[in-house]
Amino acid sequence: MSEPLLRRIAREVLGEELASRLWKRIEILGDIAVIRKPFDVDIDKLKPVAERILEELSYVKSVWAAVTPVSGEHRVRSYVHLAGEPRSETVYREHGCSFLLDITKVYISPVLSYDHARVAKMVRAGERILNMFAGVGGYSIVISRLSRPSLVVSIDINPYAARYARINAELNRVAEINEVIEGDALLVARGFAREFDRVLMPLPELWRDALVASIGIVKRGGWLHPHLFVEARRKRESLDVAKSAVESVAKELGARVEVRGGHVVRSVGPRRYHVTLDVLVIEKASTF
Ligand SMILES: C[S@@+](CC[C@H](N)C(=O)[O-])C[C@H]1O[C@@H](n2cnc3c(N)ncnc32)[C@H](O)[C@@H]1O
């Protein structure tokens, strides 16, 4: 396998020892490149690496260091500008859709790209969809463009994410079927008068609360797509662990569900995985 670009550049600019401490991959978001800063490497050491990235990748206009992992309610990282245009807004593209966003103000990760299209392929014409943790509209807009839902409601508690989700619905010409609500999805979900055919919950940290809220607003015969972090010995076992966890919460709620599929989004540590499931709602308790 050829040496990853970042590792080669770092080796040439900084030497073997420092280069070996850098994360191998550069993340490319539109025309912005992001390098993860290892805690024991000084930010000034990354600047000449960033300059070389600008020289070698002509489509990159700005290079940033991510100095923290995603954290906080808005799931945003902290960044330091390294080289190129001092600009953090860009247009990120996937599946023929364009997303205007500011990397310092909203969550964005290409790691969800595969799942955006995977879920879109399951959507039937006319579905009413709720995206509880929509970010800048990843699932909502890819689904609106690749499938034919009649309504997609996106909620996000981060005002910047809600603003970009609205702009992105316009940018991708799907504003007519997209509604964006800024607020806490767990509270907003209580206020819907009509049920949804499908509810997306792309925030593993709140999966239990989101599942409780979504059972009340999904149709019988509808679909839930929770995201979870699970501990498992092997990647292939992680889906079974998630399935048991979701089935057990559904049972407590008096609902009968069947897990029909899912996807391991990524590994998030030793024996820890981010997974999402496709959950068919067969029966709900009469109280819902
Ligand atoms: C992992 S990101 C969403 C990613 C996005 N769905 C995508 O496909 O790119 C999770 C989002 O949930 C939002 N969030 C966190 N707590 C929330 C809450 N209680 N209600 C609504 N949104 C929330 C964050 O602001 C963040 O934008």
Side-chain angles (χ1 to χ4, degrees), residues 26-288:
I26 307 175
E27 214 174 285
I28 305 288
L29 300 163
D31 60 0
I32 293 179
V34 176
I35 306 173
R36 288 199 214 167
K37 181 189 137 2
F39 74 95
D40 57 352
V41 175
D42 198 69
I43 203 82
D44 286 335
K45 294 262 188 283
L46 297 180
K47 290 188 174 168
V49 175
E51 293 291 352
R52 270 290 284 280
I53 290 171
L54 286 175
E55 278 167 33
E56 294 207 17
L57 302 179
S58 58
Y59 56 88
V60 172
K61 303 294 178 215
S62 182
V63 185
W64 291 73
V67 298
T68 65
V70 286
S71 63
E73 191 174 54
H74 296 170
R75 313 303 299 142
V76 176
R77 300 186 286 197
S78 294
Y79 294 87
V80 173
H81 181 252
L82 293 175
E85 296 174 21
R87 157 173 69 77
S88 49
E89 193 173 68
T90 188
V91 178
Y92 163 74
R93 292 192 174 82
E94 62 171 54
H95 307 300
C97 304
S98 302
F99 298 90
L100 182 72
L101 56 93
D102 185 326
I103 62 163
T104 65
K105 294 195 162 60
V106 295
Y107 173 92
I108 182 68
S109 172
V111 83
L112 287 174
S113 170
Y114 173 83
D115 204 57
H116 292 158
R118 192 188 72 85
V119 173
K121 284 189 195 122
M122 298 178 66
V123 171
R124 284 160 303 201
E127 281 192 14
R128 288 165 49 87
I129 298 173
L130 174 65
N131 185 355
M132 292 179 72
F133 310 109
V136 298
Y139 282 101
S140 303
I141 284 160
V142 172
I143 288 172
S144 301
R145 293 286 303 180
L146 301 191
S147 306
R148 289 195 291 128
S150 61
L151 175 71
V152 183
V153 177
S154 299
I155 309 176
D156 205 286
I157 204 162
N158 176 354
Y160 291 103
R163 178 174 159 262
Y164 280 120
R166 280 189 200 104
I167 292 172
N168 290 329
E170 295 279 353
L171 197 62
N172 292 279
R173 301 198 178 89
V174 290
E176 269 184 26
I177 55 164
N178 274 266
E179 185 187 328
V180 178
I181 301 172
E182 179 195 322
D184 181 341
L186 301 177
L187 301 177
V188 175
R190 294 187 196 154
F192 289 114
R194 275 184 62 191
E195 292 179 322
F196 291 88
D197 298 288
R198 195 177 292 276
V199 182
L200 317 178
M201 294 161 252
L203 181 60
E205 290 80 358
L206 290 186
W207 79 266
R208 275 173 202 278
D209 294 333
L211 196 63
V212 172
S214 64
I215 287 277
I217 50 175
V218 68
K219 279 184 189 161
R220 230 176 334 132
W223 291 88
L224 302 174
H225 298 281
H227 285 233
L228 297 84
F229 291 137
V230 296
E231 314 281 337
R233 275 176 307 169
R234 291 192 179 77
K235 183 176 171 182
R236 63 173 183 274
E237 287 166 19
S238 62
L239 287 173
D240 289 332
V241 176
K243 178 174 182 280
S244 304
V246 165
E247 283 172 348
S248 129
V249 172
K251 199 169 167 194
E252 281 167 28
L253 294 168
R256 196 154 66 81
V257 300
E258 265 179 35
V259 176
R260 292 282 179 91
H263 167 61
V264 182
V265 176
R266 63 194 170 125
S267 156
V268 286
R271 298 181 178 176
R272 195 167 153 79
Y273 299 91
H274 173 174
V275 305
T276 178
L277 297 177
D278 312 323
V279 183
L280 179 63
V281 178
I282 313 270
E283 272 304 334
K284 303 201 306 180
S286 52
T287 46
F288 288 118

